[in-house]
Amino acid sequence: MDVGFDIIRKIVKCLSGLELHVVSDSDDGLLETLGERFQCPTGFTRTDAELLQIFKSIDPDCIYEITTYLNIHYQILYVSEHHSYLVLGPCLTSPFSEQEMLCYLQRYKAKESISRKVITYCQHLPVVEHIQLHQLGNLLAQHFLNTQGPIPYKRMDYNWNDMVQKELTLVDHYEEFSKIRRVELRYEFNTALTEAVKEGNLFLAYYFLQQIEFQNDDLVRTKNLLRNTQNLCITINTQMRHALEECGIHPYRLDAVSGEIARNIEKLPSIQAAESYATDIIRQYCELSQENFYLNLKPFSRQVVTYIKAHLSDSLTVKSIAKVLMVNPDYLSTRFHQEVGTTVIDFINQERIDQAAVLLKRTNLQIQQIASSVGYNNTSYFAKQFAKYQKMTPGAFRKKGIL
């Protein structure tokens, strides 16, 4: 299809873990690919004729996302100019545990031999967030269709009844579907953000806050963008105050903090200032939560712990922390060990692995991305450290779906 296809395929594989294939527009080529990639691995029982009928009827130069009964996703583009199909996938859009998949398959009365085969197959699939999958498919389609405009998009869902009766439904209006999914993601990130603040976990709180796009059309309530962003800050302030009230922090202390934040919100001069202040709101509530969690720590060690938790992605060493706190490195090491009962480095590694475990459970980030986000530039070293503290590899931890 394109002289640079092999390079593009390797880039896609490297960045997302997704396979990219070009299939010739011929019965043999299409049947071979669809039979191999759709039927055998995941228990599909459609006949070749049915499969051909489906794909011979799709519109040219249009992206089709196919979702199987197991929520395995593919994207297919028929490039009419080259008489070829571009197949992206398969992948999952969220990780799953073996038990979850077994329960899911039991609903379809799948035989145990098939279930085990399907689970093994799915456990080796890459996990790509739904919106990212759509964006990647759109970029690839623009390249191969040599256009800058939006590509028509449709979804195909297989609805199964006891794995025997099958029905194919075509869902247009992807934008409406995408909007619904964005709202769902926002609520998911809000929930995760609240939990992180209640735990006083500044690292995760910052991460989940960054996932909430302040200028997302779904969040626009007024034509005044500054007022809109201020209102979002007010919402965060209220949400965090209620969350910490549930943790038992005295209302008088909460009222003092939330009142000061509310007054500052009204003084914000720009959208950029308002978005930046949202981070400060989260910091203040995390620190308030940490006061409960670290009551048994002496002020000096509490200061060290707070700094480490807020800078996990940095290159942390005893020397660098001591420089920030303006103390001697040897003094820092000795006093921290006396007051906390562990070394600074062990505490850093344990905290990094703990946060990585949460990201493996709650996000679809690739393992190398998670390693980098918690301060490990070497993925192999990260895997060794993870296995040391969690007694299993990052990949095994994600597949088990436990936290």
Side-chain angles (χ1 to χ4, degrees):
M1 179 185 291
D2 189 285
V3 293
F5 175 78
D6 285 341
I7 296 176
I8 293 174
R9 179 180 58 80
K10 291 178 181 178
I11 292 174
V12 169
K13 176 70 174 178
C14 179
L15 294 180
S16 66
L18 285 167
E19 298 288 350
L20 182 64
H21 292 273
V22 169
V23 182
S24 174
D25 181 12
S26 66
D27 289 357
D28 291 341
L30 190 58
L31 282 174
E32 182 180 350
T33 299
L34 295 179
E36 175 187 348
R37 303 185 66 78
F38 286 79
Q39 293 173 273
C40 299
T42 55
F44 273 82
T45 56
R46 279 189 179 274
T47 65
D48 291 342
E50 287 177 307
L51 284 169
L52 270 181
Q53 184 178 3
I54 292 169
F55 289 98
K56 286 298 184 182
S57 64
I58 69 174
D59 297 333
D61 306 334
C62 174
I63 300 173
Y64 282 76
E65 180 174 332
I66 296 176
T67 304
T68 75
Y69 74 104
L70 291 174
N71 288 323
I72 298 174
H73 297 263
Y74 300 83
Q75 291 201 351
I76 295 182
L77 171 73
Y78 179 54
V79 186
S80 57
E81 180 181 355
H82 297 280
H83 304 288
S84 298
Y85 294 92
L86 188 70
V87 181
L88 179 66
C91 72
L92 301 173
T93 55
S94 61
F96 67 91
S97 68
E98 182 172 331
Q99 186 59 43
E100 288 171 337
M101 181 59 77
L102 277 173
C103 292
Y104 193 79
L105 287 166
Q106 287 172 1
R107 289 167 48 194
Y108 295 98
K109 300 180 181 179
K111 295 180 180 179
E112 184 175 353
S113 58
I114 294 178
S115 296
R116 291 296 173 186
K117 183 178 180 181
V118 170
I119 289 172
T120 300
Y121 172 77
C122 291
Q123 285 177 334
H124 290 85
L125 294 178
V127 179
V128 181
E129 291 183 4
H130 204 190
I131 299 301
Q132 293 177 343
L133 178 64
H134 172 59
Q135 291 172 338
L136 178 57
N138 194 68
L139 286 172
L140 290 169
Q142 287 182 350
H143 171 77
F144 288 108
L145 296 177
N146 193 26
T147 179
Q148 297 298 317
I151 309 299
Y153 195 97
K154 296 183 180 181
R155 292 182 62 240
M156 283 178 160
D157 293 335
Y158 283 96
N159 298 322
W160 292 66
N161 181 14
D162 296 339
M163 296 183 70
V164 178
Q165 297 182 1
K166 301 162 288 293
E167 179 183 4
L168 182 68
T169 59
L170 197 59
V171 182
D172 293 308
H173 311 300
Y174 174 76
E175 287 306 317
E176 181 179 352
F177 168 81
S178 179
K179 183 176 182 179
I180 292 172
R181 184 55 186 150
R182 287 198 301 268
V183 172
E184 290 174 345
L185 286 173
R186 174 160 54 85
Y187 274 82
E188 291 172 12
F189 287 132
N190 267 326
T191 300
L193 172 63
T194 301
E195 291 303 312
V197 171
K198 289 168 72 173
E199 296 171 4
N201 193 323
L202 193 58
F203 171 75
L204 284 180
Y206 279 168
Y207 171 79
F208 289 118
L209 178 65
Q210 290 170 0
Q211 309 311 308
I212 302 173
E213 300 179 20
F214 274 53
Q215 298 308 317
N216 190 310
D217 291 341
D218 306 326
L219 292 174
V220 174
R221 300 289 187 265
T222 72
K223 293 182 179 180
N224 185 327
L225 294 182
L226 173 56
R227 181 70 260 171
N228 185 68
T229 310
Q230 287 174 310
N231 288 343
L232 287 170
C233 287
I234 293 172
T235 300
I236 292 174
N237 186 26
T238 304
Q239 179 182 338
M240 296 305 114
R241 185 186 68 209
H242 289 323
L244 293 197
E245 191 173 0
E246 294 175 2
C247 294
I249 296 179
H250 198 283
Y252 180 81
R253 184 78 176 96
L254 287 170
D255 189 65
V257 173
S258 64
E260 179 64 22
I261 289 174
R263 288 188 288 272
N264 290 337
I265 290 173
E266 296 305 318
K267 300 175 185 177
L268 294 169
S270 65
I271 295 173
Q272 291 74 20
E275 291 181 356
S276 177
Y277 191 61
T279 302
D280 198 46
I281 294 173
I282 295 302
R283 178 189 59 77
Q284 292 186 58
Y285 278 109
C286 276
E287 289 177 353
L288 195 58
S289 177
Q290 288 168 5
E291 290 179 10
N292 270 12
F293 279 94
Y294 305 139
L295 285 177
N296 295 328
L297 286 181
K298 294 183 179 180
F300 176 77
S301 292
R302 187 186 307 165
Q303 189 178 12
V304 176
V305 167
T306 300
Y307 181 82
I308 290 172
K309 284 178 172 288
H311 297 84
L312 280 180
S313 59
D314 295 349
S315 179
L316 292 173
T317 63
V318 173
K319 186 175 181 180
S320 67
I321 298 171
K323 183 177 181 180
V324 172
L325 301 182
M326 294 183 289
V327 297
N328 181 277
D330 291 337
Y331 171 80
L332 170 64
S333 294
T334 301
R335 187 167 174 182
F336 188 86
H337 191 274
Q338 290 173 345
E339 295 181 1
V340 181
T342 186
T343 68
V344 175
I345 298 302
D346 278 344
F347 182 86
I348 292 171
N349 285 329
Q350 181 67 69
E351 191 65 25
R352 282 173 165 166
I353 297 306
D354 287 346
Q355 307 320 313
V358 175
L359 292 175
L360 283 166
K361 171 66 177 177
R362 295 181 178 172
T363 76
N364 296 324
L365 290 172
Q366 297 294 317
I367 291 176
Q368 58 265 35
Q369 293 175 300
I370 292 176
S372 177
S373 70
V374 296
Y376 291 103
N377 295 323
N378 186 307
T379 306
S380 297
Y381 180 68
F382 163 71
K384 290 179 181 178
Q385 290 294 104
F386 193 94
K388 175 183 176 182
Y389 288 92
Q390 292 289 344
K391 309 306 179 186
M392 67 179 75
T393 66
F397 182 89
R398 170 168 271 173
K399 289 173 184 176
K400 289 192 70 172
I402 61 174
L403 186 59

